[in-house]
Amino acid sequence: MLHATSPQLTPSSSAPTPPLQGPSLKDKERQQDREKALLDPDHESTPPPVYQHTGSADHHSRSYRSSRTQSDRSSFQEQGRPTAVSFNPIPGGARSRSQSTGGGSRQGVHPFPQDMLKRSETYKSNMTKSTTRSGRPTLYPSESSSTLVGSALERKMRDEDAAPVRQDTASRLEALRDHMRQHELAYYVIPSEDSHGSEYIAVSDKRREWISGFTGSAGQAVISPTAAYLITDSRYWAQAHKELDPNWIVVPAGSMNGPKDWIEWLVERAENCKIGIDARLISYAKATALNNALKPKNAKLYYPPQNLVDLIWRDKPQRSREPIYVQPPEFTGLGAGEKLGKLRDWIKRQRPAVPSYSKSEPKPSQIQTATLLSNLSCIAWLLNLRGDDIPFNPVFHSYLFVGLESATLFIEPAKITPEVQAYLETINVVIRDYNDIWTFLRRKEWGEGNVIISPETSYAICLMLTSFRYTVLPNYVEELKAVKNEVEIRGLRNAYLRDGAAYVRWLAWLDEKMQQGYDITEYEAAWRLTEYRRKNKYYMGLAYENISATGENAALPHYTPHKETAKMIDRLTPYLNDSGGQYRDGTCDTTRTVHFGRPTSEQCEAFTRVLQGHIAIDTAIFPEGTTGAKLDVLARKALWQDGLNYMHGTGHGVGSFLNVHEGPQSFSSEVPLVAGHVLTNEPGFYNDGKWGMRIESALVVRRVQTKGGFNGDVWLGFERLTCVPIQTKMVKDVMLSKEERQWLKDHNRRCLELLEPLIHNDKRAMRYLRREAERGIGIAGAVPGGITIDWD
């Protein structure tokens, strides 16, 4: 999945290096052991979804109807541990069951309000038009749900997916401006984030989406008395123009002549005025930078006592009250008590908040005695807890105050089960109501001492603490969380194998149906892939909304198909699928681009350049201290040779059953890569209005032994976690070096070796996997008479 920011390019060496050798299975016994460890026998009785030909041969239409789907809510019972519950990854517009009902049993299915978008974590087909094509087999009417059984059929029958409808926002904007006039505001800023700085947020926090109608995950709305602006990056320019009504103006941040971001855009226009913003929704770092930039222009930020959008959002959804659950040590590799101990040791090592010019002994109030965490994934990781408050992200709304002896978790009490309560008592964590954080800070209930916060902490917390009571330091928990231990790496490796097996089963299904002449929509293809993932052991839902795109939609990096508007997968252009599953032992993120017809020379050349960039990152060897940003140029070098490029980041950090986007490491970051960092490698190219392509695999940074060994054991490289073959049809063999050609062959053969134990009972998947591992590179040219030959 694409990273939120465009990278800062830094020149770097691009000398080819030999690929790292991945692990191999040497005998049948090890294959059987791996199969037993990775496959869930409870799911073996449910056959994978398939199509069947039914009805009269006179018909050529296929109707892929779907009704609303609900994810399986099976609980996960660990021996001797409280039952853990799966989270509900419902995309924007739909809220969890507890939000609709105020809590209650997880087993019941409760209706969503009719005025909300209704979309589940699985993606199904929409109604397809009747089509015939000469030279293809006769097709029979096929209701795709007729070949599904059990819970899969039930999900198919009940699926609902409403595409976003362009709203008339005039009345909402006018109501907001009424409140702006009361506060004498020249501008009012509505960020995408919630009060915890989350990239992905709960439905109840989607204020910017509600006021504007824009559904993208990034972008700031800025309202003036006469205009409304949406500032967003290149991933969403086309989507914003499509979704916003005429009341809005799209500002392309990061474009050639556009501003760097919304802060730069606002500073250029603000003068002698007040700019309103909810202090909870802007970080300390951004508020400080913006205030400093506005000061010379006699402008300032103003923080209304209530969020102005909340005042006019009459049917605003309730916050989730889904219970949280424990993530056990067999997945985390480290107990919460040990993690808290590391954090407390770090607090003790920090110097007192004494001015550099002072020579007196520090006062008790200047000693660092605690830290306040507001980042949801950091809290979940530190306490080994998971929740169900934000779609696709197993986190929960809370604040965590960690002192030197005890800790206080501020959370909705209804979310705490007796089992979790008992668990928290064992690690000396006290529970208080979520909203008590403000009383706690105002009264300074922890007593003497300074509190450490990160630059990403909301400015509202800083205002409550006052500058004499806090110190701003980089988020130490985020640094700890980013470096995966061996248990987490093993879990990710196993999760990617299971996820890869599901992906290959699905590719085989899709390839067969397309070759048989079926018309499949982007939505149906994505839905089927989710059904294959659902069968996997430890499956907890999707990691993010499926990106399933064909033709011009594939040129939109963050396109999401909807049932009623999805396109038929085109046989003339590449098809791109960017998706991943959330599993108890890891978060997966994979992109593959395939072609179901005969690709053009232009498509093959672009795909080959993307592949070369992918290989260059995958095979990179670099010394300690090297940042991701310094490696970024390797992914772009081949594309640049042909004057091609992509506007998103090359890759991002990935969590361990946490957020799919994780920092601080990335290929856009100046943070040095260290052994244990996990990142995605995802160069691409997007031919605007025509087609697009991307290849994405997950990598873990590992220590490597080099021939020269200069300066000692300081060399790092990557181990590839993703195990899905790369289609060779669009690759131009003559453009590849000998090393690149061997890398591609080795990768596809490795996929066959590692995935065979998991899918050997699926004859179709095995045929597909073996074909991709053994076929040649590219498509043969035309022979005399105009006949063309494919390696297939």
Side-chain angles (χ1 to χ4, degrees), residues 498-516:
R498 295 194 305 275
D499 198 71
Y503 206 106
V504 168
R505 288 176 187 266
W506 166 77
L507 276 174
W509 169 84
L510 182 59
D511 182 78
E512 179 182 83
K513 296 308 167 187
M514 293 296 291
Q515 298 308 321
Q516 289 175 351

Side-chain angles (χ1 to χ4, degrees), residues 429-441:
V429 176
V430 177
I431 300 297
R432 288 186 58 169
D433 188 89
Y434 178 77
N435 290 319
D436 279 355
I437 182 65
W438 307 109
T439 302
F440 179 85
L441 296 178

